[in-house]
Amino acid sequence: MKKVIICLCILSLFLSLSPISSNAAVTGDAPMKGNVPLLITNAGQGPGGKMGRLLVTRSKAVTDFKYLSEPWPEDIKAGGFKTIMVIIGSSAKGLGASGITIDEEITRLDKIMESAKADGLQIIACHIEGNTRRGKPGSADERSIDAIAPFAHAFIVKKDSNEDGRFTELAKTNGVPLTIIDETLDFMKVVQEMYQ
């Protein structure tokens, strides 16, 4: 947990000193336009959800959003959300701090995805932490991807998350856009394009 806090503090400091680059390295498909209110959450209990929240805040592109780390379908319905931005990536420390197993996390994710689909919500699957949040088939990271990917209306993925082409194939299977960022900070540029 201390590591996550330190990383977020360093990222926050870096962001406060660095303006958003107009030359952010964003390739692939144009990002899908987002709707509001927006829910930012995570899949796998990794630190990426908090990072995503910080970057969305820093982008200043959307103010009508909320971050919930472990929402259930009733939380999503109560919030009236139109778009769910799911930051995918698992962490053993995050799961431990939440007091749940990866099996319990996947059960929760399955329920919120089924509910979101039934309610016609827009689902944006994001993998912004790179290959450190990828793993072997059956790993917590890959199971988190498996839980979200079939429901995604768009993917936003860090380039080194897709070294094996997995997200390219998922986007083709779903028939949805795949936007690639070179660096995690480039996520801000994508959010600005989604909500301009």
Side-chain angles (χ1 to χ4, degrees):
M1 189 63 171
K2 286 182 182 177
K3 235 185 215 184
V4 172
I5 293 170
I6 291 169
C7 288
L8 288 173
C9 289
I10 291 170
L11 179 61
S12 182
L13 177 64
F14 179 77
L15 291 173
S16 68
L17 298 174
S18 304
I20 299 171
S21 170
S22 60
N23 295 323
V26 179
T27 57
D29 299 312
M32 176 175 276
K33 293 299 177 187
N35 299 318
V36 290
L38 165 68
L39 170 64
I40 302 167
T41 190
N42 59 48
Q45 298 298 321
K50 290 181 178 146
M51 188 182 301
R53 175 185 60 186
L54 177 64
L55 294 172
V56 169
T57 301
R58 176 68 175 155
S59 77
K60 299 181 181 176
V62 56
T63 56
D64 191 3
F65 77 89
K66 187 171 185 176
Y67 170 77
L68 295 173
S69 62
E70 298 176 48
W72 287 90
E74 54 270 24
D75 301 317
I76 295 170
K77 288 178 191 294
F81 300 108
K82 301 294 183 191
T83 297
I84 304 175
M85 184 176 281
V86 186
I87 314 296
I88 304 169
S90 190
S91 160
K93 286 185 180 178
L95 289 164
S98 296
I100 60 173
T101 66
I102 188 60
D103 292 330
E104 291 169 321
E105 173 73 347
I106 298 301
T107 297
R108 182 185 69 83
L109 296 174
D110 289 343
K111 288 181 180 178
I112 65 171
M113 288 296 101
E114 289 292 347
S115 176
K117 180 182 178 182
D119 291 341
L121 303 185
Q122 182 185 55
I123 299 166
I124 311 295
C126 307
H127 199 279
I128 62 173
E129 294 179 87
N131 61 14
T132 59
R133 295 290 174 220
R134 291 296 311 276
K136 294 180 179 179
S139 69
D141 285 312
E142 299 306 305
R143 289 181 67 193
S144 297
I145 294 168
D146 292 341
I148 304 303
F151 300 91
H153 296 104
F155 290 92
I156 302 167
V157 176
K158 190 170 179 234
K159 189 175 182 179
D160 67 341
S161 297
N162 195 37
E163 288 176 340
D164 60 356
R166 180 161 192 219
F167 288 101
T168 300
E169 289 305 313
L170 290 168
K172 283 181 185 175
T173 298
N174 289 17
V176 301
L178 170 64
T179 305
I180 305 287
I181 57 175
D182 276 4
E183 301 297 335
T184 301
L185 291 178
D186 296 334
F187 184 63
M188 289 187 288
K189 176 69 172 176
V190 176
V191 173
Q192 289 172 335
E193 289 184 39
M194 289 176 67
Y195 285 97
Q196 65 184 355

